[in-house]
Amino acid sequence: MNEHAQATGYNFAYLDEQTKRMIRRAILKGIAIPGYQVPFASREMPMPYGWGTGGVQVTAAILGPDDVLKVIDQGSDDTTNAVSIRKFFARTAGVATTTKTVEATVIQTRHRVPETALRSDQVLVYQVPIPEPLRYLEPRETETRKLHALGEYGLMHVKLYEDIARHGHVATTYAYPVEVAGRYVMDPSPVPKFDNPKIDDCEALQLFGAGREKRIYAVPPHTKVRSLDFEDHPFRVQTFKDPCALCAAEGVYLDEVVLDDRGGRMFVCSDTDYCEERREAGHRGHLAGDDPLSPVGRGRVAEGDRVREEHKSDSASPSPRPSPHRGEGEEALP
Amino acid sequence: MTSPLLTARGLAKNYGPRAACADVSLDLYEGEVLAIVGESGSGKSTLLGLLATETSPDAGEVHYRFRDDEVRDLLTLGEAERRLLMRTDWGFIRQDATQGLRMPVSAGGNVGERLMAVGARHYGNIRATAEDWLARVEIDPGRIDDSPKTFSGGMRQRLQIARNLVTQPRLVFMDEPTSGLDVSVQARLLDLIRTLVAELGLAVVIVTHDLAVARLLSHRMMVMKGGRVIETGLTDQVLDDPREPYTQLLVSSVLAA
Ligand SMILES: Nc1ncnc2c1ncn2[C@@H]1O[C@H](COP(=O)(O)OP(=O)(O)O)[C@@H](O)[C@H]1O
Ligand SMILES: [Mg+2]
Ligand SMILES: [Zn+2]
């Protein structure tokens, strides 16, 4: 037992060393075969599955004492989920934590990729509810494994075809399937498809952990990640009509926030850290007061006020649920 | 004379002590329709599964002449190649349409699946081809976005046919494609199959317990009993002048029916 363990009663980062080694082996295999889902012996964690136990186990396995941890949930560091995971590692590993993307070395995330470009000394760990992109049309696990092994991905396009046939465009806006390094098709977890281009050719290592489904997969730095599409319906990301109401950022993913009970609303950066950084640098949106610390100006909008469409809760079925984000304008090429 | 498209030698399959299929050999030529007839349980579907390499035999061989004229042993073919063959150069029409179709997917998606599987990536073209094929199997192209769940039994079978023929296969396996349908629906479907087979010059192995179906569609037939082929010949000859007592019984019971 190390010093830390003696002090806290936990092994460093909660999991025992043998378990961490097992998870690291799965991670290494995942890195060696980008986009391939590596089975691993997922452990019980002291939190429910919906809380991202897959991501937590991956984080526990890669965390070192000098790491600085950031946890994002829906773009925010302040949700109950994000706060408890951050506290969990502060307590069990004694690592420093931060809400700033630039300061973090390990970022565990649910539903977003940070707006700030990641660096090669950072690792992004995704919490994944449903890792199998083919499950929507092929529920049999033995068959999906075969389809991956043989690179038979026609079904993914059947899914996109159905989307266009029904809605006139590809209505899948979350967990939008990607082809990794020209080989495996992967579910990038329920991030908005807006974030897909950030997964491509990223400087940072990206790791994906699915606890309930016992799968780990990886996208090594600078890997080609291509969103699937049709020639006559090319992949496009969401764009927003107006810039962030608080920091005036454009070309970022916005959340709708209810301001009052009279229907007042605004669109603000989903990435709260990014928004704050910009306001600290002096950027002002049309609803930001002059005082960067005023309640609205600070942008620390309470979780309950954010209108979040849970396109994919952790237990939801992976069927495409088209409901364009309010305020989304046309879609643009990435 | 060209060599056969499909050749089977000594095919056998046992389930426990029971021989579901024993020592079956056959040659099938391009454009030829072969009917496999016999009572329920005689091993027809088992044989079809062996020929289509969906079931692995306990003994025997299956060879197929590919489009480049090379004849290859299907049992030594790699899995990827075998599956590619099945969804391009072959088709399989099942009695139970829900097993031959993707029920949660629209009619157009069902027809387009094979195209996408072999790399089609233009939505408009896939859709146009699907519409064309729906029309060819007498389904209103206006129903392209409808679910096959809303289709009648006859329409589902026709959709299965379109879904299989879209890659222009040379060989199609059919397992009781018309049974369970109303007589008038059966007649229309048989007529459609006969027309398409002739137009496209398809080779077909069709399993049926209905000798009238064999008479209407096939050039040659094989009679099975207890897993063995007991009589084989030109369809008209076998039906009009059966040699085996069992076949005589089969034919007469149909005539009596
Ligand atoms: N998967 C299986 N497992 C066990 N027995 C089977 C299986 N498939 C077929 N059989 C048996 O093999 C025999 C032939 O069946 P089958 O080929 O389905 O006949 P047919 O299609 O002529 O009705 C039957 O006795 C059947 O019960
Ligand atoms: Mg049968
Ligand atoms: Zn902002």
Side-chain angles (χ1 to χ4, degrees):
Chain A
M1 288 235 282
N2 59 30
E3 257 175 66
H4 178 85
Q6 282 161 5
T8 61
Y10 293 110
N11 191 31
F12 180 80
Y14 185 80
L15 292 175
D16 62 82
E17 292 306 311
Q18 203 182 333
T19 299
K20 284 194 272 183
R21 275 198 295 275
M22 174 274 291
I23 294 171
R24 285 177 202 136
R25 278 195 296 272
I27 291 172
L28 287 172
K29 183 167 179 184
I31 293 169
I33 317 170
Y36 172 75
Q37 297 170 46
V38 184
F40 82 111
S42 181
R43 293 298 148 91
E44 290 290 324
M45 298 300 286
M47 56 191 78
Y49 275 125
W51 284 54
T53 55
V56 168
Q57 290 177 81
V58 169
T59 298
I62 63 169
L63 216 52
D66 299 331
D67 272 314
V68 181
L69 178 70
K70 169 181 165 79
V71 182
I72 321 170
D73 181 14
Q74 309 255 20
S76 164
D77 300 85
D78 291 346
T79 69
T80 322
N81 187 306
V83 171
S84 4
I85 293 173
R86 209 160 55 226
K87 275 191 190 151
F88 175 77
F89 283 114
R91 194 173 72 244
T92 60
V95 293
T97 61
T98 182
T99 59
K100 294 196 181 307
T101 300
V102 290
E103 285 175 2
T105 58
V106 174
I107 303 172
Q108 181 172 328
T109 185
R110 187 170 86 131
H111 298 263
R112 280 312 310 281
V113 177
E115 302 290 358
T116 307
L118 299 177
R119 302 181 311 260
S120 59
D121 62 334
Q122 296 178 309
V123 181
L124 185 59
V125 178
Y126 295 76
Q127 301 171 201
V128 181
I130 296 156
E132 181 47 73
L134 292 161
R135 188 168 303 163
Y136 163 68
L137 287 175
E138 182 50 77
R140 291 167 298 173
E141 167 89 20
T142 48
E143 186 65 13
T144 56
R145 257 189 239 181
K146 191 175 278 177
L147 296 177
H148 282 294
L150 298 172
E152 283 182 18
Y153 290 122
L155 271 190
M156 289 313 317
H157 276 87
V158 173
K159 183 183 171 197
L160 298 181
Y161 171 96
E162 291 292 292
D163 248 18
I164 302 172
R166 252 182 261 168
H167 310 288
H169 59 98
V170 176
T172 302
T173 53
Y174 281 74
Y176 192 104
V178 292
E179 178 200 78
V180 181
R183 177 59 180 88
Y184 286 95
V185 166
M186 177 187 101
D187 183 336
S189 94
V191 300
K193 67 177 179 176
F194 181 89
D195 286 339
N196 278 18
K198 296 185 207 149
I199 302 171
D200 174 38
D201 194 24
C202 180
E203 292 252 334
L205 169 64
Q206 301 172 84
L207 302 175
F208 300 77
R212 188 182 44 211
E213 304 263 340
K214 304 179 168 48
R215 291 288 185 280
I216 284 171
Y217 49 104
V219 174
H222 297 295
T223 300
K224 179 80 194 143
V225 175
R226 189 177 65 80
S227 301
L228 301 183
D229 61 3
F230 287 105
E231 289 156 19
D232 49 342
H233 286 266
F235 174 78
R236 290 163 195 272
V237 295
Q238 301 99 325
T239 59
F240 297 85
K241 290 187 196 82
D242 299 312
C244 170
L246 298 179
C247 77
E250 295 183 61
V252 296
Y253 196 77
L254 302 181
D255 274 343
E256 185 183 15
V257 173
V258 175
L259 292 175
D260 50 47
D261 53 10
R262 299 182 308 277
R265 54 195 66 234
M266 64 175 180
F267 287 91
V268 297
C269 292
S270 139
D271 183 338
T272 52
D273 166 61
Y274 181 79
C275 200
E276 276 168 35
E277 299 257 301
R278 279 183 55 86
R279 275 174 281 142
E280 273 160 29
H283 296 281
R284 285 287 175 281
H286 72 285
L287 288 181
D290 292 335
D291 175 10
L293 295 179
S294 76
V296 168
R298 281 186 64 207
R300 285 288 186 195
V301 184
E303 169 65 6
D305 293 337
R306 285 201 178 226
V307 179
R308 298 200 193 277
E309 290 167 70
E310 280 282 339
H311 293 256
K312 284 243 166 132
S313 75
D314 281 0
S315 57
S317 79
S319 60
R321 203 121 43 95
S323 45
H325 212 275
R326 299 275 305 270
E328 267 177 37
E330 285 152 39
E331 309 204 321
L333 292 165
Chain B
M1 189 173 155
T2 53
S3 58
L5 194 58
L6 185 77
T7 307
R9 291 291 175 266
L11 283 178
K13 182 75 188 175
N14 301 317
Y15 290 111
R18 177 198 300 261
C21 188
D23 195 25
V24 176
S25 300
L26 61 87
D27 290 331
L28 181 76
Y29 289 86
E30 221 156 321
E32 187 183 32
V33 179
L34 171 69
I36 301 170
V37 304
E39 288 176 294
S40 174
S42 59
K44 307 182 295 295
S45 293
T46 302
L47 174 58
L48 200 66
L50 291 170
L51 294 173
T53 70
E54 289 193 342
T55 309
S56 56
D58 295 327
E61 289 177 8
V62 183
H63 284 83
Y64 184 69
R65 181 160 55 77
F66 282 70
R67 281 179 187 261
D68 61 3
D69 261 353
E70 195 191 335
V71 176
R72 298 175 68 183
D73 178 351
L74 293 185
L75 304 178
T76 60
L77 212 61
E79 176 83 348
E81 264 183 313
R82 196 178 62 81
R83 288 170 66 109
L84 182 66
L85 175 71
M86 290 173 88
R87 62 167 188 260
T88 53
D89 217 18
W90 287 7
F92 204 127
I93 315 292
R94 305 184 191 269
Q95 177 179 355
D96 179 359
T98 63
Q99 280 173 24
L101 294 173
R102 232 173 249 288
M103 295 308 281
V105 169
S106 69
N110 266 285
V111 180
E113 178 174 343
R114 277 177 168 229
L115 298 173
M116 292 181 250
V118 295
R121 293 293 177 263
H122 191 285
Y123 175 82
N125 293 348
I126 293 166
R127 202 168 165 81
T129 308
E131 276 169 346
D132 184 42
W133 268 101
L134 290 178
R136 288 184 78 167
V137 298
E138 299 164 14
I139 294 174
D140 174 6
R143 302 207 56 182
I144 187 168
D145 294 330
D146 291 356
S147 160
K149 289 176 193 160
T150 68
F151 285 9
S152 67
M155 282 173 79
R156 288 182 185 185
Q157 290 307 64
R158 281 181 274 135
L159 181 60
Q160 250 200 105
I161 291 168
R163 167 180 163 82
N164 276 273
L165 296 190
V166 69
T167 51
Q168 308 192 334
R170 293 188 299 162
L171 170 58
V172 178
F173 300 97
M174 303 185 184
D175 195 345
E176 309 270 12
T178 60
S179 60
L181 300 173
D182 291 346
V183 177
S184 63
V185 176
Q186 263 191 40
R188 183 177 171 197
L189 184 58
L190 284 170
D191 205 44
L192 176 73
I193 292 175
R194 196 166 57 161
T195 307
L196 287 171
V197 165
E199 265 177 27
L200 303 169
L202 294 176
V204 175
V205 183
I206 179 169
V207 158
T208 178
H209 67 278
D210 184 347
L211 298 188
V213 169
R215 165 94 78 184
L216 195 69
L217 290 181
S218 70
H219 305 117
R220 270 197 308 138
M221 57 187 280
M222 292 172 65
V223 182
M224 290 191 76
K225 179 174 186 278
R228 291 184 178 273
V229 175
I230 56 153
E231 182 159 359
T232 169
L234 295 175
T235 299
D236 290 342
Q237 267 173 23
V238 174
L239 290 179
D240 295 340
D241 186 18
R243 264 177 288 163
E244 291 295 318
Y246 177 79
T247 313
Q248 288 166 5
L249 214 65
L250 214 60
V251 171
S252 61
S253 63
V254 157
L255 293 178

